[in-house]
Amino acid sequence: MASLSPAEQEARLRLHALPEIGAMRQRLLLDAFGSAAAALSAPASAWRALRLPAVAADARRSPETRERAARALAWLEAPERHLLCLGTDAYPALLAEIADPPPLLFVEGHLAALERPQLALVGSRQASAQGLDNARRFAHSLAAAGFCVTSGLALGIDGAAHQGALDAGGATVAVLGTGLQHLYPRRHLGLARRLLAGGGALVSELPLDCTPQAANFPRRNRIISGLSLGTLVVEASPSSGSLITARLAAEQGREVFALPGSIHHPGARGCHQLIREGAQLVESVEHILDALRGWLALPATTAPAPVEDDPLLRHLAAGPLNSEELAQLSGQPLPEVLVHLTELELAGRVAASHGSWTRLG
Amino acid sequence: MASLSPAEQEARLRLHALPEIGAMRQRLLLDAFGSAAAALSAPASAWRALRLPAVAADARRSPETRERAARALAWLEAPERHLLCLGTDAYPALLAEIADPPPLLFVEGHLAALERPQLALVGSRQASAQGLDNARRFAHSLAAAGFCVTSGLALGIDGAAHQGALDAGGATVAVLGTGLQHLYPRRHLGLARRLLAGGGALVSELPLDCTPQAANFPRRNRIISGLSLGTLVVEASPSSGSLITARLAAEQGREVFALPGSIHHPGARGCHQLIREGAQLVESVEHILDALRGWLALPATTAPAPVEDDPLLRHLAAGPLNSEELAQLSGQPLPEVLVHLTELELAGRVAASHGSWTRLG
């Protein structure tokens, strides 16, 4: 469906605001009644028949429910704020495919970021200097290759991933485990602002005023992996929440990548566990691109053509260009251009910086 | 067959001494004529029919062939020198299963070492200090768990593996890429002597007087992997010969294990390549024991019983014992005792040192 009527959008927000009604029950109601508006006006007996708690059915017409929906609508009036509802065209296609998709997502920032191919990059909050550096480097290269880097805005690896993508001039998406009005951790407020200024987006399925609660973070992880073609775990102890994200990615049929480390480095143990469970061991971004070739329906890597024959290198002879410009000029699809640019980068023929590609030598 | 007659043994040595007749052609001749003696007395036309070179058929009765066989027989007269012929009971059972088994093996040292379950531990000649330390530690633990550690006596990881096994009081086998009269590298002459004194063995399929030739080392690797239930690669560059050993192990249907390392450590790249090809990522000896449980037909790890109920701990209460003594005292099969001891070691209940087990606490 292209989009919802304003009335149905408001009804979805009311459903979302009801007590005891989570993602699964919202989807149950939408399936049973066909729309949120129909669910809200259905007799209480129909809700009982679906084994839904009376407290939820009773709260449908409470002033509090109305007010919560009204507050969300007011929040949405500011620029660059969006409500993405499951079943509409704007809802991220990959996320809609998972077993337990959020019925709605609040988004602050640029929807274009959610339309790019996304790769999740996650890891421990307590990371080593080397782990943080690896996260920044991989995020930088993935962003330069045209991926939107998705993570959780947490301290440690998540933050370094967002930063690395920003450093490459790429868009990055942060999926929060709080409402968008309670950004957490506060120490990453500046990072969130830079993310928004860099064309990225903040995403949450939680009520806007939802404060940090431990139980919400693991469920948030299914959105990080669900938005993404694959999840890369950079450094993680066996107890890290990023292992949950990786296992959810595997359950969702997405690729799981993990960076190895020394057997004497405790921060590598979670990654090693994932590799033993079937995750792909990754040493370079090239490994990730190779694995995603199938997803992007791209031909296998071939040696770059001689400079004079390579259309991208020909276009870059006139000066730096970004990948969209190259796609337009060359008439090639963007994903193919991105992979080809990465191959040229690995061959030392081009360099990426702040979202533009420069021809070398 | 229990063993060969002295005449057939001498005939096998003569076949082995012929020019242009390698392992494959020796097996072809044995299959075609039923014995080495029959092959040696067959008409030259029968050899031509098998497309064997005339120079080989002609050399059967040359003085040089007789002399080479005689010199080998003379070498075999000294103590602890053995000739193991394919098809006899003394020939290592696992090695007989590979696609291209050596028709004969010269052995110096203790045949008992070849009768134990063997695990190959290999890696780069140019290894880091950490790599050498890892090799020593894994070899020590594997030897303490009852495995014979098999390697190639090369500088670097191989040497550290033999040393680690010796430090644990375990037997270790070195498969040479030279004849046993030309031990190589010379720098490991002392290590070879300690290996022999420690109940181990030196093994080679090559003529006793064969000098170091680059072409012989990769083929030697099939014997290292072929003797072993599995091959562990500790540290290896992508060009290391130990990757050949690991790939041969995989082709032979044996387990392949590799230690991960930092993505910034070139010495880890070969291991990472193997893991990407399907080798098991290993952080501890426990991972290896878990994987070999199927081979050894052992039950899955269970929590150790309380001290008073555990038969091994009861026997160790009287003082240190080695694993064979424990097997005898407890009436349990040796492999089961070995795995159980390793579990107790991991649980901090026993410690291994110089081949004996001591109860802790």
Side-chain angles (χ1 to χ4, degrees):
Chain A
M1 160 179 5
S3 63
L4 300 179
S5 69
E8 174 64 9
Q9 203 172 52
E10 200 253 345
R12 294 264 185 125
L13 288 168
R14 279 213 229 173
L15 267 199
H16 184 262
L18 292 176
E20 307 273 327
I21 300 295
M24 217 167 66
R25 285 176 166 166
Q26 286 172 66
R27 291 198 312 274
L28 170 71
L29 284 162
L30 291 171
D31 286 348
F33 299 106
S35 71
L40 289 174
S41 60
S45 61
W47 280 51
R48 274 198 302 278
L50 292 171
R51 298 172 184 279
L52 294 168
V55 63
D58 294 347
R60 287 182 287 170
R61 275 164 205 88
S62 76
E64 203 194 327
T65 302
R66 274 173 215 273
E67 273 161 36
R68 289 169 66 88
R71 280 202 301 272
L73 286 170
W75 181 87
L76 284 163
E77 285 189 1
E80 294 302 351
R81 289 176 175 176
H82 315 276
L83 181 69
L84 303 183
C85 292
L86 184 63
T88 65
D89 292 350
Y91 193 92
L94 280 178
L95 186 61
E97 287 176 7
I98 73 171
D100 183 19
L104 57 80
L105 291 174
F106 293 102
V107 178
E108 179 158 7
H110 305 270
L111 289 182
L114 288 166
E115 285 157 15
R116 301 190 80 94
Q118 287 178 67
L119 205 102
L121 203 162
V122 295
S124 283
R125 283 192 296 277
Q126 271 123 29
S128 68
Q130 183 66 74
L132 295 173
D133 190 53
N134 287 339
R136 269 190 299 267
R137 280 163 189 267
F138 272 80
H140 191 287
S141 301
L142 287 166
F147 283 96
C148 172
V149 172
T150 303
S151 193
L153 202 72
L155 298 177
I157 298 295
D158 285 20
H162 293 302
Q163 190 59 59
L166 288 170
D167 291 346
T172 176
V173 164
V175 183
L176 306 188
T178 59
L180 291 185
Q181 290 177 329
H182 282 279
L183 200 134
Y184 177 87
R186 302 303 291 168
R187 226 196 288 174
H188 275 169
L189 200 58
L191 177 60
R193 288 204 185 108
R194 290 199 297 283
L195 175 154
L196 291 174
L202 304 172
V203 174
S204 174
E205 68 169 326
L206 294 163
L208 293 163
D209 58 356
C210 182
T211 53
Q213 292 158 32
N216 286 333
F217 289 88
R219 269 184 68 70
R220 177 271 311 261
N221 294 347
R222 83 189 194 290
I223 306 179
I224 296 178
S225 56
L227 284 167
S228 306
L229 292 169
T231 293
L232 168 64
V233 184
V234 168
E235 185 175 272
S237 68
S239 64
S240 165
S242 53
L243 267 61
I244 299 175
T245 313
R247 288 181 184 130
L248 287 166
E251 278 173 30
Q252 291 161 356
R254 311 295 165 80
E255 302 287 341
V256 183
F257 306 103
L259 248 63
S262 161
I263 58 170
H264 306 289
H265 175 37
R269 286 202 193 127
C271 289
H272 292 164
Q273 208 169 303
L274 290 173
I275 293 167
R276 289 174 56 82
E277 290 170 12
Q280 292 191 50
L281 182 152
V282 158
E283 283 180 308
S284 68
V285 167
E286 202 188 7
H287 285 152
I288 296 175
L289 293 177
D290 278 347
L292 293 179
R293 233 168 272 283
W295 280 93
L296 302 171
L298 296 171
T301 315
T302 49
V307 175
E308 59 277 16
D309 298 341
D310 190 292
L312 301 190
L313 290 175
R314 260 194 285 120
H315 292 300
L316 288 173
L321 294 167
N322 69 32
S323 44
E324 279 91 351
E325 291 163 343
L326 280 166
Q328 271 199 320
L329 285 168
S330 69
Q332 291 176 19
L334 182 61
E336 231 166 85
V337 168
L338 292 170
V339 169
H340 190 57
L341 280 169
T342 310
E343 286 163 6
L344 291 169
E345 189 184 24
L346 291 164
R349 301 248 180 113
V350 299
S353 169
H354 295 85
S356 281
W357 294 85
T358 309
R359 187 173 141 178
L360 300 176
Chain B
M1 152 180 12
S3 63
L4 301 179
S5 69
E8 174 64 9
Q9 203 172 51
E10 200 253 346
R12 294 264 185 127
L13 287 169
R14 279 215 230 173
L15 267 199
H16 184 262
L18 292 175
E20 307 273 328
I21 300 294
M24 217 168 66
R25 284 175 166 166
Q26 286 174 66
R27 291 198 312 275
L28 170 70
L29 284 161
L30 291 170
D31 286 347
F33 300 106
S35 71
L40 289 175
S41 60
S45 61
W47 280 51
R48 272 197 303 278
L50 292 171
R51 298 173 182 279
L52 294 168
V55 63
D58 295 348
R60 286 182 288 171
R61 275 165 206 86
S62 75
E64 203 194 326
T65 302
R66 275 173 215 273
E67 273 161 35
R68 288 170 67 89
R71 280 202 300 271
L73 286 170
W75 181 87
L76 284 163
E77 284 188 2
E80 295 302 352
R81 289 176 177 177
H82 315 275
L83 180 70
L84 303 183
C85 292
L86 183 63
T88 65
D89 292 350
Y91 192 91
L94 280 178
L95 186 61
E97 287 176 8
I98 74 171
D100 183 19
L104 56 81
L105 290 174
F106 294 102
V107 177
E108 178 158 10
H110 305 269
L111 289 182
L114 287 166
E115 286 158 14
R116 303 190 80 93
Q118 287 178 66
L119 205 103
L121 202 162
V122 295
S124 283
R125 283 191 297 277
Q126 271 123 27
S128 68
Q130 183 65 74
L132 295 173
D133 190 54
N134 287 339
R136 271 189 298 267
R137 280 163 189 266
F138 272 80
H140 190 287
S141 300
L142 287 166
F147 283 96
C148 171
V149 172
T150 302
S151 194
L153 202 71
L155 299 177
I157 298 295
D158 285 19
H162 293 301
Q163 191 59 58
L166 288 170
D167 290 346
T172 176
V173 163
V175 183
L176 305 188
T178 59
L180 291 185
Q181 289 176 330
H182 282 280
L183 199 134
Y184 177 86
R186 303 303 291 168
R187 225 196 289 174
H188 275 170
L189 200 58
L191 178 60
R193 288 205 185 107
R194 291 199 297 282
L195 175 153
L196 291 173
L202 303 173
V203 174
S204 174
E205 69 169 326
L206 293 163
L208 293 163
D209 58 358
C210 181
T211 53
Q213 293 157 33
N216 286 332
F217 289 88
R219 269 184 68 71
R220 176 271 311 261
N221 293 347
R222 82 188 195 290
I223 306 178
I224 295 178
S225 56
L227 283 168
S228 306
L229 292 169
T231 293
L232 169 63
V233 184
V234 168
E235 186 174 271
S237 68
S239 63
S240 165
S242 53
L243 266 60
I244 299 175
T245 314
R247 288 183 184 128
L248 288 167
E251 278 173 30
Q252 291 162 356
R254 311 294 166 80
E255 302 287 341
V256 183
F257 307 102
L259 247 63
S262 161
I263 58 170
H264 306 289
H265 176 36
R269 286 203 193 127
C271 289
H272 292 164
Q273 208 169 303
L274 290 173
I275 293 167
R276 288 174 56 81
E277 290 169 11
Q280 292 190 50
L281 182 152
V282 158
E283 284 179 308
S284 67
V285 167
E286 200 189 9
H287 285 153
I288 296 174
L289 293 176
D290 278 347
L292 293 178
R293 232 168 272 284
W295 280 93
L296 302 171
L298 295 171
T301 315
T302 49
V307 176
E308 59 277 16
D309 297 341
D310 190 291
L312 301 190
L313 290 175
R314 260 194 284 118
H315 291 300
L316 288 173
L321 294 166
N322 68 31
S323 45
E324 279 92 351
E325 291 164 342
L326 279 166
Q328 272 199 319
L329 286 168
S330 67
Q332 292 175 20
L334 182 61
E336 231 166 87
V337 167
L338 292 169
V339 169
H340 190 57
L341 280 168
T342 309
E343 286 163 3
L344 291 169
E345 189 185 24
L346 290 165
R349 301 246 179 112
V350 300
S353 171
H354 295 84
S356 282
W357 294 86
T358 309
R359 187 171 141 178
L360 299 175

